[in-house]
Amino acid sequence: MEMSGGQQTGDVYRCPLDVRRNCSRLHLGNAPHRHRGRRSLENVSERKDQMKLGMSLTSNPKDQSFVTCGPLWSHECGSSFYSTGICSRIARNFKFSSTIAPALQRCETFMDIVIVLDGSNSIYPWFEVQNFLINILEKFYMGPGQTQVGVLQYGSRVVHEFSLSDYQTVEEVVAAAHNIQQRGGEETRTALGINVARQEAFGRGGRSGARKVMIVITDGESHDSPALPAAVELSKQENITMYAIAVLGYYNRRGIDPEAFLKEIRFIANDPDDQHFFKVTDESALKDIVDALGERIFSIEG
């Protein structure tokens, strides 16, 4: 066993005892690029430094294979790291066979989140909505086995700003969010936005077994309200957790009673309302709900 490289991941060698020949290295510790998946797992945010691969080794005399383990291998879930260990099965010809991680559990942050953003003409100023989007994205735990985010914008029509599988890090999605411009539109077709999110956005890089979360942000009653009940019901039937945010800036600026609008947005949100429904006085107040929204999303129970 060798502590190889700066990460001290370890490795395994086969060395002859009766003649002076070079040892053969298995390259499990710092595998060449073509073997990068050898002791890695898909959809897992790994932490490999100090894993000490080779500290544990057991053989199978029946087929002359053996299993070697890195007991300190860990994976990231949200803000925590869990040291569950990882093992590699090696065949009799000293070739890697498979990876074993029996204690690994799926992260609670294994989510596909689609943000449905109203970009119609009545939203003003746009930079406040954009700042909110950036701030909430910075709350997400992104990475393999954790959170993916897609954003679509709607008004009279729907545009996919970016899809779930487009970006793998918080830095990448924040950079993309900085480039989202307001699309405008004379209508607010919220039912259309929800349907496109359900039918298309979750299919653009969505992962089997990931929790589905939809966040709808709008500032007015929908122009396609007759289609809204079916859109919301179908989303909930597909186990999509719905959060809804009512922005009251348009109503407050014009002195309009928002009661019908608030009733519609409460209907979109999952029950109970105190966990899934938000309202803010105007676009600039969106920043005040960032922390609460992030906490509620990542406290979803499986």
Side-chain angles (χ1 to χ4, degrees):
M1 191 272 289
E2 177 186 86
M3 297 295 107
S4 55
Q7 288 188 318
Q8 295 188 328
T9 54
D11 212 333
V12 178
Y13 286 76
R14 179 175 62 179
C15 300
L17 299 178
D18 53 345
V19 294
R20 295 182 61 84
R21 290 187 295 178
N22 293 332
C23 296
S24 301
R25 182 178 179 180
L26 195 52
H27 283 295
L28 288 175
N30 288 325
H33 180 75
R34 65 183 183 279
H35 300 311
R36 63 183 300 178
R38 279 185 163 181
R39 47 153 183 73
S40 297
L41 298 174
E42 291 184 359
N43 289 326
V44 175
S45 296
E46 297 178 296
R47 186 171 182 171
K48 304 170 186 177
D49 57 310
Q50 303 292 338
M51 66 181 282
K52 293 181 169 54
L53 183 69
M55 288 294 290
S56 175
L57 190 149
T58 184
S59 63
N60 183 350
K62 292 183 179 181
D63 60 6
Q64 298 183 27
S65 66
F66 67 90
V67 172
T68 182
C69 299
L72 299 184
W73 177 91
S74 61
H75 67 286
E76 182 180 1
C77 284
S79 59
S80 301
F81 287 91
Y82 299 91
S83 294
T84 56
I86 193 171
C87 301
S88 296
R89 189 183 302 278
I90 311 302
R92 63 180 296 174
N93 61 353
F94 204 60
K95 299 294 184 182
F96 169 82
S97 175
S98 61
T99 297
I100 310 165
L104 180 68
Q105 295 184 347
R106 179 163 284 172
C107 291
E108 294 297 308
T109 52
F110 187 52
M111 297 183 187
D112 288 340
I113 300 177
V114 173
I115 299 175
V116 181
L117 200 60
D118 180 356
S120 60
N121 293 344
S122 56
I123 292 283
Y124 179 83
W126 177 252
F127 76 85
E128 296 285 11
V129 178
Q130 192 174 37
N131 286 343
F132 164 78
L133 176 62
I134 291 167
N135 289 336
I136 194 62
L137 290 173
E138 289 175 340
K139 293 286 182 182
F140 293 162
Y141 300 104
M142 296 193 62
Q146 300 205 77
T147 302
Q148 290 187 155
V149 184
V151 174
L152 61 81
Q153 185 181 163
Y154 77 97
S156 302
R157 61 190 183 96
V158 178
V159 175
H160 293 275
E161 298 293 351
F162 56 82
S163 301
L164 288 167
S165 59
D166 283 352
Y167 305 109
Q168 300 301 311
T169 69
V170 170
E171 292 76 16
E172 289 174 340
V173 293
V174 166
H178 276 288
N179 294 322
I180 295 177
Q181 301 298 314
Q182 186 173 10
R183 302 283 181 172
E186 296 295 331
E187 295 185 339
T188 302
R189 301 183 65 190
T190 304
L192 176 64
I194 291 172
N195 279 329
V196 171
R198 175 181 59 83
Q199 296 172 327
E200 298 180 16
F202 283 106
R204 293 186 169 203
R207 300 163 297 178
S208 175
R211 296 177 187 173
K212 297 180 180 180
V213 175
M214 189 187 304
I215 305 171
V216 179
I217 306 159
T218 182
D219 79 331
E221 291 179 67
S222 58
H223 287 81
D224 54 358
S225 56
L228 193 60
V232 172
E233 180 60 28
L234 287 170
S235 296
K236 293 176 180 178
Q237 285 179 8
E238 294 186 16
N239 295 317
I240 300 172
T241 301
M242 306 283 287
Y243 290 86
I245 302 171
V247 182
L248 298 176
Y250 177 83
Y251 291 83
N252 290 336
R253 287 190 289 269
R254 288 162 177 76
I256 302 172
D257 183 357
E259 191 54 39
F261 170 50
L262 292 173
K263 182 179 179 181
E264 180 177 282
I265 304 309
R266 286 190 178 97
F267 174 75
I268 294 172
N270 273 55
D271 294 327
D273 282 353
D274 63 356
Q275 294 296 313
H276 302 92
F277 165 78
F278 295 84
K279 64 177 180 179
V280 295
T281 55
D282 57 23
E283 288 79 357
S284 66
L286 282 165
K287 63 181 181 297
D288 299 330
I289 66 169
V290 169
D291 289 341
L293 178 60
E295 289 171 3
R296 292 180 193 179
I297 291 172
F298 291 105
S299 65
I300 296 175
E301 295 183 0

